[in-house]
């Protein structure tokens, strides 16, 4: 027979976890469940008397009639993939440079983090001023160095507007990757590189056979987190383009927000949100499994 003391000790971890479980259930699980329940309803705030359970009708309409849903998915894919790819490459390059020893390295490391501290709405305002057609700094610089003859309207065409939004997002996101990769690079012992040099390895061999494999988990985690944050980002695109022109930069979260706040169609917006959440969960699962995160490799 097990004593009462044994059961008391066994219950301690669960009692310590209980506040966290209650907090998560109250502020995450219940809202998610509530969103799913609303997605099965015809729920427009301005028409309270018409609120009713309609089953999967919202989902059927999304997949069969809603062209903006498909466009939002395509825009989100471009927005996330290009942004994260550029941030990964440029962030690693910056971290690689900052990991070298040079005078004033601490100051430069501190300056690198500054764009990450700027709010998304503020980033949108800053880049609106940079890319403005009549008063933009970029057009003025390009004209002075002779690359263009007249000002470019960055937000008049869909491809240009998406490019402008990605540029702003890349500028904001590079510090996150740089700091993450810098921390990982600093943890690699210099003895490993010294041994590789003695064996005749050049810079490229050390990069692809030592550096990248040893920080693989950091790369996978940072790209996954940034992809999720970029997918869910609304503030930057909202303040920069508001999804225009002609919905060329209308991403899924922005479409959900405009449906929720603009049209006050809580039921349809909840269905869109449920689909977006499921898509991100599937993509994250496949990415983690495919990347082999957490598995040790033999070099």
């Amino acid at each position: 027979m097990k004593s009462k003391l044994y059961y008391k000790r066994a219950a301690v971890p669960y009692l310590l976890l209980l506040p966290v479980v209650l907090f998560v259930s109250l502020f995450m699980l219940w809202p998610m469940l509530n969103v799913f329940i609303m997605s099965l309803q015809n729920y427009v705030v301005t028409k309270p008397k018409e609120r009713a359970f309609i089953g999967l009708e919202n989902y059927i309409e999304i997949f069969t009639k809603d062209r903006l849903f498909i466009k939002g998915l395509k825009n989100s894919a471009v927005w996330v993939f290009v942004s994260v790819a550029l941030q990964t490459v440029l962030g690693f390059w910056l971290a690689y440079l900052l990991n070298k020893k040079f005078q004033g390295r601490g100051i430069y490391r501190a300056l690198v983090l500054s764009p990450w501290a700027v709010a998304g709405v503020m980033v949108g305002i800053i880049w609106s001023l940079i890319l403005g057609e009549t008063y933009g700094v970029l057009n003025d610089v390009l004209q002075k160095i002779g690359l263009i003859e007249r000002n470019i309207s960055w937000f008049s065409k869909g491809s240009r507007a998406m490019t402008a939004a990605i540029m702003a997002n890349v500028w904001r996101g590079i510090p996150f990757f740089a700091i993450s990769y810098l921390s990982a690079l600093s943890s690699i012992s210099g003895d490993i590189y010294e041994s590789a040099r003695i064996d005749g390895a050049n810079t490229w061999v050390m990069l692809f056979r030592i550096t990248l494999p040893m920080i693989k988990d950091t790369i996978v985690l940072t790209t996954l987190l940034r992809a999720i944050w970029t997918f869910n980002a609304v503030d930057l695109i909202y303040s920069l383009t508001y999804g225009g022109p002609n919905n060329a930069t209308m991403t899924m979260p922005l479409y959900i927000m405009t449906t929720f706040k603009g049209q006050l169609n809580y039921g349809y917006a909840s269905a869109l949100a449920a689909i977006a959440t499921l898509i991100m969960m599937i993509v994250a699962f496949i990415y983690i499994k495919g990347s082999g995160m957490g598995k040790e490799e033999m070099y």
Side-chain angles (χ1 to χ4, degrees):
M1 294 294 291
K2 294 180 180 179
S3 64
K4 292 183 179 181
L5 182 60
Y6 171 83
Y7 289 107
K8 287 182 180 180
R9 289 179 177 177
V12 169
Y14 300 99
L15 292 175
L16 293 175
L17 288 172
L18 184 60
V20 177
V21 173
L22 291 176
F23 182 84
V24 171
S25 300
L26 182 62
F27 292 99
M28 189 178 77
L29 297 181
W30 167 244
M32 291 176 63
L33 178 61
N34 194 36
V35 166
F36 178 73
I37 293 173
M38 285 195 297
S39 72
L40 303 176
Q41 300 176 355
N42 176 30
Y43 183 13
V44 181
V45 176
T46 55
K47 302 175 182 178
K49 294 183 179 180
E50 297 181 11
R51 181 175 181 178
F53 177 81
I54 57 173
L56 299 176
E57 287 187 20
N58 285 327
Y59 293 94
I60 294 172
E61 182 176 348
I62 289 171
F63 286 109
T64 58
K65 300 179 181 180
D66 194 345
R67 295 182 179 180
L68 192 52
F69 166 72
I70 301 299
K71 191 168 188 177
L73 279 181
K74 292 180 180 178
N75 290 339
S76 292
V78 173
W79 161 250
V80 172
F81 180 79
V82 177
S83 292
V84 175
L86 290 175
Q87 290 172 43
T88 301
V89 175
L90 295 176
F92 177 80
W93 173 71
L94 186 58
Y96 191 77
L97 294 178
L98 291 175
N99 194 46
K100 304 293 183 180
K101 292 182 179 180
F102 58 89
Q103 190 172 3
R105 183 174 65 170
I107 297 175
Y108 285 103
R109 285 182 173 183
L111 290 174
V112 162
L113 186 60
S114 56
W116 185 246
V118 182
V121 174
M122 183 61 69
V123 173
I125 295 173
I126 291 172
W127 279 86
S128 294
L129 296 174
I130 294 174
L131 300 173
E133 182 179 1
T134 57
Y135 52 79
V137 176
L138 183 59
N139 278 329
D140 184 55
V141 172
L142 292 177
Q143 277 190 338
K144 287 182 177 179
I145 62 179
L147 292 180
I148 60 174
E149 295 182 357
R150 58 181 180 179
N151 290 347
I152 298 174
S153 178
W154 290 96
F155 302 108
S156 62
K157 292 185 179 181
S159 58
R160 289 178 182 173
M162 179 60 79
T163 301
I166 290 174
M167 287 170 58
N169 193 44
V170 169
W171 175 81
R172 186 192 185 195
I174 286 177
F176 169 74
F177 284 90
I179 296 300
S180 299
Y181 294 157
L182 183 59
S183 176
L185 290 172
S186 300
S187 65
I188 302 176
S189 174
D191 295 337
I192 299 176
Y193 293 111
E194 189 63 31
S195 300
R197 290 191 188 96
I198 294 173
D199 292 337
N202 58 30
T203 302
W204 292 105
V205 171
M206 288 189 289
L207 175 63
F208 288 101
R209 297 299 298 272
I210 298 176
T211 305
L212 291 179
M214 292 193 72
I215 66 169
K216 183 194 72 172
D217 284 355
T218 301
I219 295 174
V220 173
L221 182 61
T222 51
T223 51
L224 178 60
L225 288 175
R226 189 59 182 151
I228 294 173
W229 295 340
T230 301
F231 179 84
N232 291 324
V234 174
D235 49 1
L236 197 156
I237 292 184
Y238 181 87
S239 59
L240 195 62
T241 66
Y242 196 66
N246 193 28
N247 297 317
T249 57
M250 179 67 73
T251 59
M252 273 296 295
L254 185 57
Y255 180 34
I256 294 169
M257 191 195 75
T258 54
T259 304
F260 186 83
K261 297 289 290 184
Q263 303 174 24
L264 298 178
N265 192 340
Y266 286 13
Y268 199 80
S270 297
L272 289 170
I275 294 171
T277 302
L278 182 61
I279 290 173
M280 285 306 300
M281 291 175 66
I282 293 173
V283 170
F285 178 80
I286 294 174
Y287 183 62
I288 292 174
K289 284 292 184 181
S291 64
M293 181 179 175
K295 296 180 180 179
E296 295 185 1
E297 299 182 10
M298 301 297 295
Y299 307 115

